[in-house]
Amino acid sequence: MSQWFKDSVVYQIYPRSFQDSNHDGIGDLKGIEQRLDYLKKLGVDVLWLNPIYKSPDVDNGYDIADYESIQPVYGTMEDFNSLLKKTHERKMKLLMDLVVNHTSDQHQWFQESRKTKDNPYADYYIWRDPVNGHEPNNWGSSFSGSAWTYVPERGQYYLHLFAKGQPDLNWENPEVRQQVYSLMRFWLDKGVDGFRMDVINLISKPEGLPDAPQQGGSAYGDSFAIVSDGPRLNEFLQEMNHEVLSKYDIMTVGEMPDSKPEDAIKYTNLDGSELNMVFQFEHVDLGGNPDQRLGKWNDQPVKLTQLKESLSRWEEKLDGKAWNSLYWNNHDQPRTVSRFGCDAPEYRELSAKMLGTTLHMMQGTPYVYEGEELGMTNTHFTKLSQYEDIESINAYHQLVEKEKVVKSDKMLAYLAARSRDNARTPMQWDAQENAGFTDAAEPWYQLNDNYTEINAQSELQDKNSVFYYYQKLIQLRHESNLIKYGDYALLDPEDEEVFAYKRHYEGETLLVISNFTAQNVQRDYKQESGRLVIGNYSNDQGNELRPYETKVYHFNK
Ligand code: TEU
Ligand code: CA
């Protein structure tokens, strides 16, 4: 099994918001093709596309109605074939997003399954009889409310850990598994280079579907807590590997909410017998609300010591045993420069470069989310009408209006800080109307109005831009086995202002120092004998660390 995933940097494209090519205000495949040279210039090796299959878009494509199709608004299968070819011509690879924990309720399988208890698809989903006239257990949906919906034609409830329009597939049914393996082969036989696997650690449900813990007065049980890392997950992933993955030279990354390093080692060992790596959520789940009924909805900053402890534990525990995915951003997370850095004008670029350095110098495969390389920021929305994501809108109505556990103005502050919508505004290409994303009058979603200052065109003309800084980070990784394969050791775990760590490999040492504050601080890491490899200030002031200053030193010992 070749391990090219270890040497790669991945760029995540949210197709809807990346580039429109046919004047309808919605990103599409031809638009991505137009931007391949920009991505090549950045230096990334692999592109990951969020779902582009036929979908009613209840959850922006994570509700798939036909796995072997292209959503018409994104283009045709010919457009996809052309994009894949042009990507390969540029020596880049392309991952698809595999969403097989659930389908859309508009999928033909579900349309049949819901009709009766004895049709060929009856057992493709998770149906249960009412218990005392109610839902079969206390599980909550990730998008608020119960995880069960009643269908009178069957006289039963079906499970949906996400929206009603996203019924969970029944992975206990071998026919379902074979259908999944077949659709995977469809894409791999076209030459696709692997998959990001959506919530793949939820596919094995616990025996008997028992009630989940109901934290701190929550209205529903925490279904992820009881479903993630289920009893047959290892068996299913090994079967998937045996039947499909092992037959192709590909890369796989499993999205695993609630996973721990021990899980990652179990599901992504280095022998390639299951997946290559996981997206874990510990660091991005930090800073949840102390009132557990509110879950992630909060607007308080995360303590640096907690962030250091979490990222370091994953680095240390996986070294030599599994492989980390390294990310700050994706389509489900707020923009990192606003969350862990500072998006005020005087510190935005400095902190974006500092965050990029802190992550990219670690062991693992880095993922750059569209716009992160520009230092794009949160949108700072103030009204509910500005949100479009089902998770955001449902959470507001459930927590403010139904459960009345938070006031409207506080919840709007929480949405502004943590909503997925922050990541879904269109890519900012230039300072023209709609930032060059579309020449249609109305883009599908409003732009962040700072595109006049933050956009690719202006950054490509500024050698000190965040873009060229990310280009350098990526180049450094490509050129250095120390960065790619070195071990990891955190320095000064208790330091609440500076994140410093060392990497060692074959007699060489890397020292990475990042000031996470807007203050000048003094720190002495005895770095005089080192060679400065990269930094976000034009000079090096030794032990004085300026606001959001980051520096990387190399030592030949
Ligand atoms: O996300 C999995 C997931 O757990 C998300 O609900 C995420 O944890 C949460 O939104 C963080 O606030 C995957 C996809 O990435 C997401 O876009 C989908 O909505 C979800 O699965 C269902 O397919
Ligand atoms: Ca379009």
Side-chain angles (χ1 to χ4, degrees), residues 7-9 43-45 473-480 484:
D7 303 340
S8 298
V9 175
V44 295
D45 308 285
L473 290 173
I474 294 165
Q475 182 195 346
L476 285 172
R477 172 172 293 271
H478 285 156
E479 293 166 354
S480 164
K484 282 186 280 198

Side-chain angles (χ1 to χ4, degrees), residues 4-127:
W4 50 264
F5 63 89
K6 287 186 167 181
D7 303 340
S8 298
V9 175
V10 183
Y11 189 93
Q12 180 191 351
I13 293 173
Y14 196 68
R16 195 173 198 82
S17 297
F18 194 63
Q19 177 65 64
D20 174 24
S21 73
N22 62 345
H23 330 294
D24 64 0
I26 303 170
D28 48 57
L29 299 182
K30 279 194 167 31
I32 298 172
E33 198 171 289
Q34 288 169 7
R35 297 293 183 180
L36 286 177
D37 290 334
Y38 166 84
L39 297 168
K40 188 65 186 171
K41 184 181 182 68
L42 180 59
V44 295
D45 308 285
V46 182
L47 309 181
W48 153 31
L49 304 187
N50 288 100
I52 54 173
Y53 321 96
K54 216 165 262 169
S55 162
D57 279 343
V58 163
D59 181 18
N60 288 4
Y62 279 92
D63 47 317
I64 297 170
D66 178 355
Y67 286 93
E68 297 179 10
S69 71
I70 298 295
Q71 179 77 314
V73 80
Y74 293 144
T76 64
M77 192 57 86
E78 288 65 42
D79 294 335
F80 174 79
N81 296 339
S82 171
L83 173 61
L84 182 62
K85 179 167 169 285
K86 301 252 168 69
T87 300
H88 286 163
E89 282 169 359
R90 288 165 176 78
K91 304 270 180 286
M92 292 191 288
K93 295 176 182 290
L94 190 137
L95 306 184
M96 296 289 269
D97 205 320
L98 185 72
V99 188
V100 289
N101 172 69
H102 47 270
T103 71
S104 162
D105 63 349
Q106 302 307 307
H107 195 290
Q108 180 244 342
W109 298 340
F110 188 78
Q111 288 300 306
E112 289 306 309
S113 184
R114 59 170 293 146
K115 283 178 183 165
T116 63
K117 290 182 185 175
D118 57 6
N119 63 72
Y121 298 93
D123 200 25
Y124 270 45
Y125 296 86
I126 299 170
W127 295 95

